[in-house]
Amino acid sequence: MTGWPPLLPARHSGHMDSSGRQATEGLRTAAGPRTAAGSQAAGPRSTAGAGPRSGPVRLADVAEAAGVSRALASRVLNGDPAARAAAETKARIVETAARLGYVPNVAAKSLRGNRTGLIGLVVHDLSSPIYLELMRGAREEAARHSYFLVLGDVDELLADEDAYRILISGRRVDGIIMQGGHGELDRRVGDIARALPTVVVNAPTDVEHEGATQVYPDEVAATRLLTEHLIGLGHRRIGLVSGPRQSMTNRLREEGIVTALAAADLELREEDRVHGEWSADGGRAGVDQLVDRWGGGADRPSALIAGNSLVGIGMLGALARHDLVVPRDLSVAAVHDTWINEHLAPSLTAVSLPLHEVGTVAVRTLLAGSHGGRHILSDPPPVLHGRGSTGAVG
Amino acid sequence: MTGWPPLLPARHSGHMDSSGRQATEGLRTAAGPRTAAGSQAAGPRSTAGAGPRSGPVRLADVAEAAGVSRALASRVLNGDPAARAAAETKARIVETAARLGYVPNVAAKSLRGNRTGLIGLVVHDLSSPIYLELMRGAREEAARHSYFLVLGDVDELLADEDAYRILISGRRVDGIIMQGGHGELDRRVGDIARALPTVVVNAPTDVEHEGATQVYPDEVAATRLLTEHLIGLGHRRIGLVSGPRQSMTNRLREEGIVTALAAADLELREEDRVHGEWSADGGRAGVDQLVDRWGGGADRPSALIAGNSLVGIGMLGALARHDLVVPRDLSVAAVHDTWINEHLAPSLTAVSLPLHEVGTVAVRTLLAGSHGGRHILSDPPPVLHGRGSTGAVG
DNA sequence: TACAACTGATAAATCGATTGTTCACTGGCA
DNA sequence: TGCCAGTGAACAATCGATTTATCAGTTGTA
């Protein structure tokens, strides 16, 4: 009625914990002591005297109710082929478990089985709709295998030695999926991968981390498609506002653009590209910088590619503020198709990457045992969504 | 080198699992059998003959190395005041643990302590930037208490009896934070709260779920502020595009609007409100509907309030498509301030709600033992961010 | 008639940490 | 000397499930 009894347990005064946190603080689940019976050592089963048990149903309860041993109950309920039991017995066990509402205790399973059923998902950009799609894919695939996702944060993990140790070394999770593209983290991937199966997603790095598998979409194909679309519309000079120049993601995306342009005997001019952050602010800053370069003159690209969706949103806003009308004065096309794109004014042309699949495959790879190396997803291929922000040149 | 040995274990042919999933599939961590020594029953400690142990460092290892019992090591490392040990001994234990790189096994701790260190976060709208902020707040607060968040999905949980049972009854998490506003789930909150400490966030429901605490921001104050802003700009007729009419969230938001309007002797006309989904699509549909009602005439509100940020984005897009210029023809203001708002063209005026704090408080409430009832967050208060989408009437 | 093989099932060890209880000492005091 | 209280620390039960041996019967077979 009044809710849950478990309050924060009385705090110990001295903490040996290296951090200043309240490690002991927390919840207690409902169970409580099973029977007040304290010591009754090895006496012959004292089935008498004990109440009907209050806590959750244990395997032992099922076994007892079904009149078999815990061992057999365990095997039958887990579908262990080594469980040689009469069909009738099997049925009885299963039925009893269902009747009693038996649910295995996860902690006990983990302890014994050395497997937690959890996958750590370590991100550093929880606000990006781009990353969310990946996260959803991962979650769904994990669920399919009865796994759950545990959320971690890169910066926190790096800042907090303890959290880091607990997550990585405390065997709290069976494996880790990390969002790459975070310099500091990228440098520690090796350590992590040595402790746990590790998959790095969606932001390839140059270093081939020992043991960590990389999973990412076909970036080159995506920007190639985008560029071909623009060329098809008659654009001959195309600019780019992207993320950090040296990041591998950017380099791959540039590669796609350059390739497509080259095929049409065009090139990506040095003066037409700007590099900054992978964010809306970055997009705005990029546009400001370009407009500044152009100085009001007409000597400018007729189309701009946004390094990602966020950058694209920032660009549209900034262009409007500079009184440049899209697509009349300038076409804009972005990498990543999110739900926002079609609601912008003008709606934003974009190429979609299979981020959902990246998440899916990351989990699958992890569960199958990661082997290091890179895994480029080319299926499904990038798809172009032509919208209002791109128009024919002229 | 080749990566992680643990592949998917050979699959059992027959599954007793009620679902069709591969419950046994998964990862195995590195440990492996500790020593090949099989049976050596109760013989006097055979410390000899065993290698130096390959797996992770256990408490027993620390104890042995420090020359004390496991019990004492445990107490000292946990800062248990009941640990009466010479200062020197304590120091030796702590030092040894550090030197060996001891990290407690989470599963063992959970099993013994009946506490997992995990909080389930069950959402049904992982793509909304609104909800993300809440999620970040929750994650941060959880981390502060050495808790981690486990991600769940409402629909999945409802659809998959097994997942539901594992998460709720399997003692996989110590408590649950649920995103309210999902009819089907709202109806089952009572069951869940009976099994686990439960907090429902950000979408109040009428039913006072027994045992579940509700935490949400001061919706009324938010829309009141928004409305006052518009009235201050000279608007006398204000419309609303919102979510489901009967949802409590909507009713509270309408209440704020009506209150503010009444204070200025104005009212919210029936014909000026539209109800639909809490999404950008909903916003678009709402505008389409209103425009249809107006039929091109000038008999319409001079300002519209968007029930939330997503709706606002959809509205701006739709208005542009109808050739209505914001804010010249119509002002628009939304509930929720997200990063997108300032990048839209025009930038979107909005009132910010303390979603981050909702997440924070939800976790804190859960850890402190939830007591049922409602918890309305009025600190920090809603803040108005005036931007380009609202202008003086005229 | 033995011996092996198979059936149906159980006992007990194990996973790693926590914690109630007990034990061996050492001084202090009568 | 004898007893009590306080220190410093160890024993052993426990949490709940998995799994390796092992066992008692029964059948088949050489």
Side-chain angles (χ1 to χ4, degrees):
Chain A
M1 268 305 160
T2 2
W4 287 89
L7 282 255
L8 304 166
R11 305 188 178 186
H12 297 149
S13 48
H15 281 281
M16 308 310 293
D17 207 327
S18 63
S19 78
R21 294 174 321 197
Q22 287 291 344
T24 52
E25 189 172 344
L27 287 165
R28 211 175 267 289
T29 58
R34 213 160 285 294
T35 63
S39 51
Q40 271 218 3
R45 253 186 240 136
S46 61
T47 16
R53 266 188 42 79
S54 58
V57 181
R58 298 164 308 172
L59 178 64
D61 301 325
V62 175
E64 193 188 354
V68 299
S69 68
R70 305 201 312 277
L72 189 59
S74 170
R75 284 202 257 262
V76 168
L77 291 175
N78 285 308
D80 186 338
R84 298 169 321 194
E88 189 199 353
T89 309
K90 281 187 183 174
R92 180 158 35 89
I93 294 174
V94 171
E95 185 272 325
T96 307
R99 182 165 51 79
L100 265 46
Y102 167 67
V103 180
N105 181 308
V106 181
K109 240 185 150 92
S110 298
L111 177 56
R112 174 66 220 219
N114 207 21
R115 170 186 307 159
T116 64
L118 297 174
I119 292 174
L121 183 65
V122 180
V123 308
H124 58 85
D125 192 9
L126 209 46
S127 61
S128 159
I130 297 167
Y131 197 63
L132 273 180
E133 192 51 33
L134 193 152
M135 191 159 147
R136 284 165 65 166
R139 220 196 47 66
E140 288 173 21
E141 182 66 15
R144 248 170 249 130
H145 299 273
S146 297
Y147 264 76
F148 281 98
L149 251 38
V150 172
L151 227 47
D153 179 86
V154 170
D155 294 316
E156 202 167 83
L157 232 53
L158 292 175
D160 187 340
E161 264 307 311
D162 271 17
Y164 179 86
R165 280 173 39 222
I166 291 172
L167 192 66
I168 311 294
S169 323
R171 290 162 293 291
R172 184 177 254 316
V173 295
D174 292 341
I176 293 240
I177 294 179
M178 295 191 317
Q179 181 184 10
H182 183 292
E184 177 60 19
L185 183 68
D186 284 351
R187 244 164 282 131
R188 297 183 68 165
V189 168
D191 294 339
I192 298 175
R194 218 162 296 125
L196 281 178
T198 302
V199 170
V200 178
V201 289
N202 203 32
T205 53
D206 295 299
V207 205
E208 273 227 23
H209 307 292
E210 257 177 272
T213 308
Q214 294 182 33
V215 177
Y216 54 94
D218 192 340
E219 309 278 7
V220 179
T223 46
R224 199 183 327 119
L225 192 57
L226 212 48
T227 309
E228 285 165 0
H229 169 70
L230 291 172
I231 293 174
L233 286 171
H235 296 277
R236 290 288 168 267
R237 184 172 162 192
I238 298 174
L240 169 70
V241 177
S242 186
R245 179 155 199 170
Q246 289 311 317
S247 70
M248 190 157 159
T249 301
N250 173 67
R251 296 203 323 263
L252 291 174
R253 292 189 183 158
E254 285 202 9
E255 183 185 329
I257 297 172
V258 169
T259 306
L261 286 175
D265 257 336
L266 299 170
E267 55 165 7
L268 177 57
R269 298 198 205 173
E270 185 59 36
E271 73 224 66
D272 289 344
R273 55 180 124 177
V274 191
H275 299 278
E277 282 177 28
W278 293 115
S279 66
D281 282 338
R284 165 170 42 200
V287 164
D288 289 349
Q289 212 172 320
L290 283 177
V291 167
D292 201 46
R293 279 186 202 164
W294 301 334
D299 180 23
R300 63 179 189 216
S302 60
L304 292 178
I305 289 179
N308 79 14
S309 171
L310 302 183
V311 169
I313 292 171
M315 286 170 66
L316 285 186
L319 288 170
R321 238 164 282 120
H322 285 290
D323 291 324
L324 286 167
V325 178
V326 175
R328 193 197 64 193
D329 301 330
L330 215 50
S331 281
V332 175
V335 174
H336 288 314
D337 196 42
T338 69
W339 60 267
I340 305 175
N341 291 351
E342 64 169 308
H343 290 285
L344 296 171
S347 55
L348 183 57
T349 291
V351 61
S352 67
L353 287 176
L355 293 175
H356 193 273
E357 279 72 21
V358 169
T360 301
V361 170
V363 168
R364 217 177 293 145
T365 303
L366 200 60
L367 293 181
S370 55
H371 292 275
R374 300 190 169 156
H375 194 327
I376 301 180
L377 255 72
S378 47
D379 180 46
V383 175
L384 187 90
H385 300 269
R387 299 212 180 81
S389 67
T390 46
V393 103
Chain B
M1 267 309 156
T2 0
W4 286 88
L7 281 254
L8 304 165
R11 307 189 174 186
H12 299 147
S13 47
H15 281 279
M16 306 310 293
D17 207 328
S18 63
S19 78
R21 293 175 321 199
Q22 288 290 344
T24 51
E25 191 172 344
L27 285 165
R28 211 174 267 287
T29 58
R34 212 163 284 294
T35 62
S39 54
Q40 274 217 0
R45 253 185 241 135
S46 59
T47 18
R53 266 189 43 78
S54 57
V57 180
R58 298 164 308 170
L59 178 63
D61 301 323
V62 175
E64 192 189 353
V68 299
S69 70
R70 302 199 316 274
L72 189 58
S74 170
R75 290 197 170 103
V76 168
L77 291 176
N78 285 309
D80 186 339
R84 298 170 320 191
E88 190 198 352
T89 310
K90 282 187 183 173
R92 182 157 34 91
I93 294 173
V94 171
E95 186 271 328
T96 307
R99 182 165 51 79
L100 265 47
Y102 168 66
V103 180
N105 180 309
V106 181
K109 239 182 150 95
S110 298
L111 176 55
R112 173 67 217 220
N114 207 23
R115 171 186 304 155
T116 64
L118 297 175
I119 292 173
L121 181 67
V122 179
V123 308
H124 59 83
D125 192 9
L126 209 46
S127 61
S128 160
I130 297 167
Y131 197 63
L132 272 181
E133 191 52 30
L134 193 153
M135 190 159 146
R136 283 165 66 165
R139 221 196 44 69
E140 287 173 22
E141 182 66 15
R144 247 171 248 130
H145 298 272
S146 299
Y147 264 76
F148 280 98
L149 250 39
V150 172
L151 226 48
D153 180 87
V154 171
D155 294 316
E156 201 167 85
L157 233 52
L158 291 175
D160 187 339
E161 264 308 312
D162 270 14
Y164 179 85
R165 280 174 37 222
I166 290 173
L167 193 65
I168 310 295
S169 322
R171 287 162 296 291
R172 183 179 257 312
V173 295
D174 293 341
I176 292 241
I177 294 179
M178 293 190 319
Q179 182 184 10
H182 183 291
E184 178 59 20
L185 183 67
D186 285 351
R187 243 165 282 132
R188 296 182 69 165
V189 167
D191 294 339
I192 298 177
R194 219 162 295 127
L196 279 179
T198 303
V199 171
V200 178
V201 290
N202 203 30
T205 53
D206 295 298
V207 204
E208 274 225 24
H209 306 293
E210 254 179 275
T213 307
Q214 294 184 33
V215 177
Y216 54 94
D218 191 341
E219 309 278 8
V220 180
T223 45
R224 201 183 325 120
L225 192 58
L226 212 47
T227 309
E228 285 165 0
H229 169 71
L230 291 172
I231 293 175
L233 286 172
H235 296 278
R236 292 285 168 269
R237 185 172 163 194
I238 298 174
L240 169 70
V241 177
S242 187
R245 179 155 200 167
Q246 289 311 317
S247 71
M248 189 158 161
T249 300
N250 173 66
R251 294 200 328 259
L252 290 173
R253 291 188 183 159
E254 285 202 11
E255 184 185 330
I257 297 171
V258 169
T259 306
L261 284 174
D265 259 336
L266 300 171
E267 56 166 6
L268 177 58
R269 301 198 201 170
E270 185 58 37
E271 72 224 65
D272 288 344
R273 52 181 125 178
V274 190
H275 299 278
E277 284 177 28
W278 292 116
S279 65
D281 281 338
R284 167 172 39 201
V287 164
D288 288 350
Q289 214 172 318
L290 283 177
V291 168
D292 201 46
R293 282 188 201 161
W294 303 333
D299 180 23
R300 62 178 189 216
S302 61
L304 292 179
I305 288 180
N308 77 14
S309 172
L310 302 184
V311 170
I313 292 172
M315 287 170 66
L316 285 186
L319 287 170
R321 237 163 283 121
H322 285 290
D323 290 323
L324 286 166
V325 179
V326 176
R328 193 197 64 192
D329 301 331
L330 216 48
S331 281
V332 176
V335 175
H336 288 314
D337 196 42
T338 68
W339 61 267
I340 305 175
N341 291 351
E342 63 169 309
H343 289 285
L344 296 171
S347 55
L348 182 57
T349 290
V351 62
S352 67
L353 287 176
L355 294 175
H356 193 272
E357 279 72 20
V358 168
T360 301
V361 170
V363 168
R364 218 178 292 145
T365 303
L366 199 62
L367 293 182
S370 54
H371 293 273
R374 299 190 172 158
H375 193 329
I376 302 180
L377 255 70
S378 46
D379 179 47
V383 176
L384 186 91
H385 299 270
R387 298 213 181 80
S389 66
T390 46
V393 100

